[in-house]
């Protein structure tokens, strides 16, 4: 078996086991997200594609990390070569995704805004879109995507300010009675207050944060993939150097060729002059 630097070998195995755990966490988050969105409407069930991507990314991360750890632990060249190639492909793919996203980010935000405007007016949208928008209004305390007039003359209950704290903070707006559309038990008084803040700027802020996280994760994983490729290349170089040319010692039989494998003595090569007799 080839001899590797034990400290570097253990570091590489730990590096890959850590990434295997990260892959398992990605798969677990995908499962939790799928259970959380299990009751979502058919209009917004495109999250399933995102969950499949999470399963795929998590599975590939676990498989390649375990392969790299196995190759380093067993000092096998083929698993390390496969891991090296996979790291370079992963690094290139992540950079291919992250760099254009960072460059064309303003255009992406404009496209998202245009997609939201295509759903206006909200009072004429599909029931699924209206329910989804009302859930956003209740959770974010906003009204309409770009204005409360997105609902036309049928402003829903989800736009109404819910408590005195909201009214004291100046986040509410008076609107005429004819623009309200709510149940009879809520129809008391002469004026109603709705949330002044519109929903799209809040959603845009969340989307910007999500893009920041995506770019950070992409560039971070690309750097780690490049680091893994470099570490794998170092291990391969150590394997190659340790399994290089081995000196071979040949032994010659003296009985067959008539001479000894040991070097001759000096006196056997050169005859010393005889000393004169006294």
């Amino acid at each position: 078996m080839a001899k590797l630097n034990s400290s570097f070998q253990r570091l590489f195995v730990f590096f890959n086991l850590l990434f295997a755990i990260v892959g398992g966490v990605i798969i677990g988050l995908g499962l939790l997200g799928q259970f959380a969105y299990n009751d979502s409407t058919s209009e917004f069930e495109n999250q399933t594609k995102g969950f499949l991507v999470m399963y795929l990314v998590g599975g590939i991360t676990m498989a390649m990390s375990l392969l790299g750890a196995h190759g380093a632990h067993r000092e096998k060249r083929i698993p390390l070569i496969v891991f090296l190639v996979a790291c370079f492909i992963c690094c290139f793919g992540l950079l291919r995704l992250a760099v254009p996203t960072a460059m064309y980010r303003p255009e992406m935000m404009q496209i998202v805004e245009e997609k939201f405007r295509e759903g206006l007016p909200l009072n004429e949208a599909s029931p699924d879109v209206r329910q989804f928008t009302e859930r956003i209004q209740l959770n974010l305390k906003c009204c309409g995507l770009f204005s409360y007039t997105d609902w036309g003359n049928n402003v829903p209950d989800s736009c109404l300010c819910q408590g005195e704290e909201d009214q004291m903070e100046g986040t509410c707006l008076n609107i005429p009675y004819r623009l309200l559309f709510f149940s009879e038990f809520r129809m008391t008084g002469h004026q109603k207050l709705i949330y002044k803040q519109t929903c799209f700027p809040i959603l845009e802020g969340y989307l910007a944060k999500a893009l920041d996280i995506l770019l950070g994760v992409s560039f971070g994983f690309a750097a780690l993939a490049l680091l893994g490729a470099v570490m794998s290349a170092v291990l391969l170089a150590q394997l190659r150097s340790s399994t290089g040319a081995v000196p071979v010692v040949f032994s010659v039989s003296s009985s067959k060729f008539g001479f000894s494998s040991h070097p001759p003595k000096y006196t056997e090569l050169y005859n010393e002059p005889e000393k004169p007799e006294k």
Side-chain angles (χ1 to χ4, degrees):
M1 182 179 290
K3 190 65 176 176
L4 297 178
N5 187 301
S6 59
S7 299
F8 191 82
Q9 184 180 11
R10 286 194 293 266
L11 178 63
F12 185 78
V13 172
F14 174 77
F15 176 85
N16 282 277
L17 292 179
L18 185 63
F19 263 83
I21 295 174
V22 171
V25 171
I26 293 175
I27 295 176
L29 291 176
L31 290 173
L32 290 176
Q34 189 170 10
F35 287 137
Y37 284 94
N38 196 22
D39 298 330
S40 61
T41 57
S42 58
E43 184 75 19
F44 298 95
E45 283 184 347
N46 292 328
Q47 294 90 348
T48 305
K49 297 180 181 179
F51 297 142
L52 292 177
V53 171
M54 293 181 70
Y55 298 149
L56 182 63
V57 171
I60 293 177
T61 302
M62 286 189 66
M64 298 311 301
S65 300
L66 294 176
L67 180 65
H70 170 74
H73 180 67
R74 296 293 183 181
E75 300 182 4
K76 300 293 185 180
R77 182 174 298 178
I78 294 179
L80 289 176
I81 294 175
V82 175
F83 179 80
L84 173 66
V85 174
C87 284
F88 275 121
I89 294 175
C90 180
C91 180
F92 176 78
L94 289 172
L95 291 178
R96 183 69 179 83
L97 171 67
V99 173
T101 302
M103 292 178 58
Y104 298 103
R105 180 173 175 172
E107 288 80 359
M108 293 176 59
M109 302 300 293
Q110 185 176 1
I111 292 174
V112 171
E113 181 177 352
E114 292 176 356
K115 290 295 183 181
F116 274 95
R117 289 189 180 276
E118 289 178 0
L120 300 179
L122 293 174
N123 59 319
E124 298 179 1
S126 64
D128 291 336
V129 173
R130 292 200 302 268
Q131 292 175 7
F132 178 75
T133 306
E134 290 197 42
R135 286 199 299 268
I136 292 177
Q137 292 178 159
L138 288 173
N139 294 328
L140 302 182
K141 294 184 177 182
C142 55
C143 184
L145 293 176
F146 303 94
S147 172
Y148 69 89
T149 57
D150 294 341
W151 291 100
N153 293 328
N154 298 322
V155 179
D157 285 354
S158 57
C159 283
L160 298 178
C161 293
Q162 301 299 322
E164 296 181 358
E165 295 181 359
D166 295 333
Q167 299 178 15
M168 296 295 294
E169 293 175 358
T171 59
C172 299
L173 176 70
N174 280 313
I175 61 172
Y177 223 16
R178 60 183 177 84
L179 294 178
L180 292 173
F181 177 75
F182 39 62
S183 304
E184 293 182 358
F185 67 90
R186 297 293 302 275
M187 296 179 61
T188 57
H190 300 284
Q191 290 183 344
K192 289 295 180 180
L193 298 174
I194 63 170
Y195 291 112
K196 185 188 302 183
Q197 178 66 48
T198 55
C199 297
F200 181 76
I202 302 176
L203 295 176
E204 188 178 24
Y206 285 139
L207 180 59
K209 292 180 180 179
L211 284 176
D212 290 337
I213 295 174
L214 176 63
L215 291 174
V217 171
S218 298
F219 283 117
F221 271 90
L224 291 175
L226 182 60
L227 176 61
V230 172
M231 295 175 70
S232 179
V234 171
L235 287 177
L236 287 171
Q238 291 181 2
L239 284 174
R240 183 177 181 181
S241 62
S242 61
T243 57
V246 179
V248 180
V249 178
F250 296 94
S251 61
V252 182
S253 175
S254 59
S255 61
K256 184 176 180 180
F257 295 99
F259 59 88
S260 174
S261 61
H262 298 285
K265 296 181 180 180
Y266 179 80
T267 56
E268 296 177 356
L269 295 176
Y270 302 98
N271 295 325
E272 295 182 359
E274 297 181 358
K275 297 180 180 180
E277 295 182 357
K278 294 182 180 180

